[in-house]
Amino acid sequence: MRRPLIAANWKMTKTIEETEEFINEFLPMVKDITDVDILIAPPFTALASASKLLKSSNVILAAQNVYLEENGAYTGEISPRMLLSAGCTSVIIGHSERREYFSESDEIVNKKIKLARANGLDVILCIGESLEQREANKTFDILGGQLEGSLKDLPLDGITVAYEPIWAIGTGKTATAEQANETHVFIREWLKKNKEGADAVRIQYGGSVKPDNVVSLMSQPEIDGALVGGASLKADSFAKLVVGAK
Ligand code: PGA
């Protein structure tokens, strides 16, 4: 059995103060949860202070991105070692917003995952198709290509895959539980065919996950958790998602 992983991706919201406020409110709500892994990914600037508050809690701290070099003249970038020193144990890589707005190719994503893993960070690898690609029946081709490129020469340990159909992110349009599961089955089969240890890999769904649809999504056999944007920004809403994933 795979443990569910419910992850909050706060994107470019929350200052240090807002992050602290969230954590202080959220931790008591989930302190007795032992059968779900809980993760939050605040912006870079709030990581170090979040890490102090999360110490000895049951919540994992992740970054939303990382650079693909160890260090050097890369103005504005953040290395895996910096994330470790800020208290992160995990990092989200290849989110569709990074792919789209910051031109992250599968090759870049692959380099980032390799360096993050070499530094001992766990990784949530995001993949997903656009509406146009889904309507043209290209979903599986796109996802297969993203998996192939992003996971090139990489073992699966320490990696979670987040399937996030782009048309469902921030739009209020969730894939139906069956639609999501069918795609997760494809991803699992791809992993089994191409890698060792595919059965242990968690595949999260992301895209307008909310307290009122999390239970039906999580009841699907191949959905092992959720990567959540909008509904993770309020402590009580995110706590409901965690409880709904049990
Ligand atoms: P959403 O975002 O829950 O607001 O749709 C999900 C994500 O982008 O990870």
Side-chain angles (χ1 to χ4, degrees), residues 9 11 95-97 126 164 168-172 206-210 227-232:
N9 172 16
K11 310 189 182 185
H95 190 280
S96 60
E97 287 153 15
C126 302
E164 299 202 300
I169 296 177
T171 58
S208 299
V209 177
K210 306 220 156 36
L227 180 57
V228 189
S232 74

Side-chain angles (χ1 to χ4, degrees), residues 21-241:
E21 199 180 315
F22 176 104
I23 292 172
N24 287 329
E25 207 185 329
F26 180 67
L27 284 184
M29 296 176 176
V30 295
K31 68 176 184 349
D32 297 326
I33 304 267
T34 52
D35 40 9
V36 177
D37 286 340
I38 310 166
L39 175 152
I40 61 171
F44 287 134
T45 47
L47 290 174
S49 48
S51 147
K52 290 197 185 105
L53 293 177
L54 294 177
K55 220 160 237 142
S56 60
S57 79
N58 53 345
V59 177
I60 300 162
L61 183 64
Q64 300 171 18
N65 183 28
V66 68
Y67 196 52
L68 46 71
E69 295 286 350
E70 291 281 7
N71 71 304
Y74 302 101
T75 302
E77 293 296 336
I78 304 281
S79 72
R81 271 186 64 234
M82 293 169 186
L83 295 185
L84 291 167
S85 115
C88 291
T89 55
S90 209
V91 59
I92 299 170
I93 296 181
H95 190 280
S96 60
E97 287 153 15
R98 300 235 31 111
R99 291 175 185 264
E100 187 180 348
Y101 307 140
F102 304 96
S103 308
E104 278 190 17
S105 62
D106 290 325
E107 197 187 339
I108 291 174
V109 169
N110 180 249
K111 285 189 181 153
K112 289 186 171 191
I113 301 177
K114 281 183 179 148
L115 195 64
R117 290 299 301 134
N119 279 275
L121 287 162
D122 288 336
V123 167
I124 295 180
L125 159 66
C126 302
I127 58 172
E129 82 287 359
S130 67
L131 185 59
E132 204 182 14
Q133 290 162 340
R134 176 161 282 265
E135 284 174 346
N137 278 326
K138 289 196 183 136
T139 300
F140 293 166
D141 285 351
I142 296 295
L143 297 179
Q146 288 175 339
L147 287 167
E148 173 106 55
S150 307
L151 294 174
K152 188 161 181 276
D153 302 326
L154 271 164
L156 292 176
D157 38 292
I159 295 178
T160 294
V161 175
Y163 166 59
E164 299 202 300
I166 297 168
W167 47 272
I169 296 177
T171 58
K173 262 195 219 167
T174 327
T176 63
E178 293 72 24
Q179 225 172 12
N181 194 64
E182 177 194 87
T183 315
H184 283 219
V185 168
F186 166 81
I187 294 167
R188 177 88 52 211
E189 290 307 313
W190 188 97
L191 294 173
K192 277 189 189 162
K193 213 168 105 196
N194 293 282
K195 304 276 174 186
E196 302 276 313
D199 277 323
V201 173
R202 290 183 288 197
I203 306 176
Q204 298 176 293
Y205 170 77
S208 299
V209 177
K210 306 220 156 36
D212 63 7
N213 61 24
V214 69
V215 175
S216 87
L217 285 162
M218 290 301 299
S219 70
Q220 296 292 324
E222 286 296 337
I223 299 184
D224 307 317
L227 180 57
V228 189
S232 74
L233 293 172
K234 294 226 162 72
D236 58 340
S237 160
F238 191 50
K240 278 187 197 142
L241 292 174

